[in-house]
Amino acid sequence: MTTVQKRRARARGGELDDCLRACAVHSGKVVGSIDRRRVELAESLRKLLVVWGTTATTAPAPAPAGGATALLKRAVKGATTPSNSIPGDLLDALLAVANKALECGYDDELNLALVISDTVLAQRRNSRAGWRLRARLLEALGEETEAVEAYEKYLSLTDEDGFGVRAKIAGLRRAGEQERELLALLKRQNPRAAEFAGRAATDVWAEGLASHAVGDWTEAEPRLVAALLALAAEEAPVADRQELLSQYLDLRTTESTDLASLTEALALYAEQRRNRMRGPVADPTIGEVHWISLGEFRNQIAGKSICLVANSGRVGASSLGAEIDAYDLVVRFNSYRIDPRHTGSRTDIHATIHKHGFNWDQQVTTRLVFGGISGDWKYSLRNRLVPGAQTFLGDESLRWPVRNIGRLGTDVWSGIPTTGFNMLYLLDFLDVSPTLDLIGFDFYESGAYRVQEAMKLAITSVHEYTSEKAWVMQRAQSVTDMRISLR
């Protein structure tokens, strides 16, 4: 069986009941996991089972809090759901599970995400979220041609591109071209690779490693290159090809004496890797951005009046645009939406969680990117920052204010702090602003007011909105319908 046939032989979904039962079974597999991503997946699965239990036509009433085991048993025993379409709340819960499964990256979870993807698109052929999920999943599985087709389908269904899909498509296509250029270069540099054509890639690769192990690079290199060419010819998954390309170049770096040829190969390898990660950018070094520390940020805001503008429906109908623009510094969050009459027109500081891709291309003076895990935060910065879109960028000392600056652990603040609370906590901690006002902060009582592509994002339950509101009110000096002043 060829690599392509093996990929296409994966179990696929389509029937809603079968998909939901697969999710219920998988819920049992991840219970008790110590892997952070699987823990998050388990929570999404639990929520899905609750939604399924409340929407099922023959299911009994939902179990009380703590009844995840009962929910799982009921799901497996056959609660039924309407088969002609997916209710909106159930669709959202399924997509949340699939996205968490995709983040896990393990084979079992990727297969689960594939079943969900097939089911969503079988039930809702024009689901934008479904097509974007399918594209990301195919990309993770190394099926780039199919991933590009799915991304293009997603774009055909929306007028917005808040997730940077066009750049992703361009990056995948350019990376594919550069990978082919790299392999053609290696073939020219190693003409003896043709001697091993037609043989199994794994066998030839093993022979190459064996030759290298005994110090015979002359015999090792053509075999390694031949194996790389064979993998490309049989359309092996991108991750497999990239891993072996990396291994080969590592070995060549220690063995090669032709630095010019090696440099040419490494440059092509680096370019195709970068394009796969984030798409083509004019300046991969992110322009003239200046990293700023906690102390430098303090100096930026000292003595200035600051307003923090909520992404709330109340702001969207406020007519406070001129008043907002009158502050020295205007802070906005995540997927903020600009309507000059109501929201004001200026953004000096954009505070965003690293997981969201909204407004990173909007011109601001300072961008503060928040994130709880250093590695994930750095990965997002490499993939999301737009050259020239910011003058200053917060460094790791500003990465997670509530936890790292305030030292509030989960024993004190159990929920994940929101972007707004991280920003407000930081400004309150520094305490160098004579005016610190919150505009339109009603903690989503009036609904969300965001850029269009973010309007369907769920208001997640991992945050403690009630606790954040209480913290704000304890420090408020004055409160009106639209403004909370902390100074």
Side-chain angles (χ1 to χ4, degrees):
M1 184 180 289
T2 67
T3 302
V4 173
Q5 288 173 327
K6 289 178 181 178
R7 293 207 305 268
R8 291 174 179 169
R10 292 190 184 96
R12 306 302 293 257
E15 294 297 328
L16 182 55
D17 281 343
D18 291 342
C19 173
L20 291 168
R21 290 190 180 91
C23 290
V25 171
H26 200 88
S27 179
K29 295 179 181 179
V30 294
V31 169
S33 174
I34 61 173
D35 185 303
R36 175 182 61 83
R37 289 180 171 85
R38 277 182 164 155
V39 170
E40 293 175 355
L41 171 60
E43 175 61 14
S44 292
L45 284 163
R46 185 193 67 79
K47 292 176 181 178
L48 169 65
L49 295 180
V50 171
V51 173
W52 183 16
T54 57
T55 58
T57 58
T58 62
T69 302
L71 281 168
L72 174 60
K73 289 179 179 178
R74 184 173 75 235
V76 174
K77 287 182 178 179
T80 60
T81 56
S83 60
N84 57 338
S85 185
I86 305 179
D89 54 352
L90 189 58
L91 173 65
D92 291 341
L94 274 171
L95 290 170
V97 168
N99 283 314
K100 288 300 181 183
L102 185 54
E103 289 178 13
C104 289
Y106 305 117
D107 284 344
D108 284 352
E109 278 71 32
L110 291 178
N111 284 332
L112 179 65
L114 185 62
V115 170
I116 294 174
S117 170
D118 284 347
T119 302
V120 168
L121 292 178
Q123 304 289 326
R124 293 196 180 189
R125 292 297 303 167
N126 290 324
S127 168
R128 289 177 296 180
W131 280 108
R132 182 169 172 267
L133 168 64
R134 169 64 60 85
R136 294 170 59 226
L137 176 58
L138 289 170
E139 186 182 352
L141 293 172
E143 300 180 21
E144 285 190 350
T145 300
E146 295 87 346
V148 167
E149 293 173 356
Y151 277 129
E152 288 177 332
K153 178 65 175 178
Y154 164 80
L155 286 178
S156 73
L157 296 169
T158 180
D159 295 327
E160 306 288 346
D161 187 20
F163 295 104
V165 170
R166 288 184 178 87
K168 170 61 71 174
I169 291 173
L172 291 177
R173 285 176 170 160
R174 182 61 184 135
E177 294 170 0
Q178 289 170 328
E179 184 182 348
R180 289 189 289 273
E181 291 174 22
L182 174 57
L183 292 172
L185 173 65
L186 297 182
K187 186 176 181 180
R188 292 195 303 272
Q189 292 176 346
N190 295 272
R192 283 194 58 210
E195 298 176 16
F196 309 99
R199 295 179 53 195
T202 52
D203 294 341
V204 179
W205 182 263
E207 291 176 7
L209 291 181
S211 296
H212 175 264
V214 297
D216 192 350
W217 181 245
T218 302
E219 290 299 320
E221 185 172 23
R223 287 173 169 82
L224 296 177
V225 171
L228 293 172
L229 295 172
L231 285 175
E234 67 179 45
E235 299 180 33
V238 171
D240 294 347
R241 303 199 310 262
Q242 292 292 299
E243 181 180 356
L244 295 189
L245 266 171
S246 176
Q247 288 183 29
Y248 161 73
L249 290 171
D250 282 345
L251 294 175
R252 183 171 169 180
T253 300
T254 62
E255 300 288 347
S256 179
T257 57
D258 186 349
L259 293 181
S261 296
L262 174 60
T263 300
E264 186 179 4
L266 288 173
L268 273 173
Y269 174 77
E271 282 296 320
Q272 56 97 31
R273 287 285 289 179
R274 181 160 49 238
N275 280 322
R276 279 197 170 92
M277 289 177 68
R278 65 165 299 160
V281 292
D283 181 4
T285 62
I286 316 300
E288 296 297 321
V289 67
H290 300 281
W291 292 86
I292 56 172
S293 65
L294 174 62
E296 291 166 324
F297 179 71
R298 177 188 183 280
N299 293 337
Q300 274 192 1
I301 66 173
K304 296 180 179 178
S305 62
I306 301 177
C307 74
L308 294 81
V309 184
N311 298 338
S312 68
R314 186 169 295 181
V315 170
S318 69
S319 300
L320 286 180
E323 293 185 41
I324 290 171
D325 284 340
Y327 285 82
D328 294 330
L329 296 175
V330 178
V331 182
R332 302 187 195 274
F333 303 100
N334 296 319
S335 53
Y336 68 85
R337 178 176 170 185
I338 292 293
D339 178 350
R341 179 169 177 264
H342 299 295
T343 69
S345 58
R346 198 179 80 248
T347 306
D348 300 296
I349 301 172
H350 177 212
T352 182
I353 191 70
H354 77 93
K355 292 183 178 181
H356 286 181
F358 304 107
N359 290 322
W360 290 60
D361 59 341
Q362 296 302 301
Q363 184 67 48
V364 297
T365 302
T366 301
R367 199 173 310 277
L368 299 183
V369 181
F370 299 141
I373 299 174
S374 178
D376 293 349
W377 175 78
K378 291 174 181 175
Y379 182 87
S380 291
L381 289 183
R382 287 195 299 269
N383 285 282
R384 297 192 190 279
L385 282 173
V386 176
Q390 56 279 308
T391 304
F392 301 100
L393 178 67
D395 69 7
E396 190 141 12
S397 67
L398 292 161
R399 172 174 59 81
W400 206 225
V402 171
R403 302 293 194 214
N404 297 345
I405 296 173
R407 303 298 179 185
L408 299 185
T410 54
D411 56 329
V412 177
W413 198 274
S414 59
I416 297 174
T418 63
T419 302
F421 187 57
N422 267 302
M423 188 71 218
L424 181 58
Y425 189 94
L426 173 63
L427 295 173
D428 185 72
F429 172 85
L430 292 173
D431 194 21
V432 292
S433 303
T435 301
L436 187 57
D437 289 349
L438 285 68
I439 306 295
F441 273 72
D442 59 10
F443 304 89
Y444 291 110
E445 291 176 5
S446 61
Y449 187 75
R450 305 164 170 159
V451 293
Q452 189 59 43
E453 60 268 31
M455 283 300 291
K456 287 191 175 182
L457 289 179
I459 298 175
T460 177
S461 61
V462 299
H463 303 304
E464 292 186 359
Y465 295 107
T466 301
S467 299
E468 292 186 3
K469 182 177 182 179
W471 187 95
V472 169
M473 291 307 178
Q474 287 172 3
R475 290 158 177 78
Q477 301 297 310
S478 68
V479 179
T480 67
D481 184 54
M482 284 300 301
R483 196 185 319 262
I484 302 173
S485 298
L486 270 63
R487 296 290 184 273

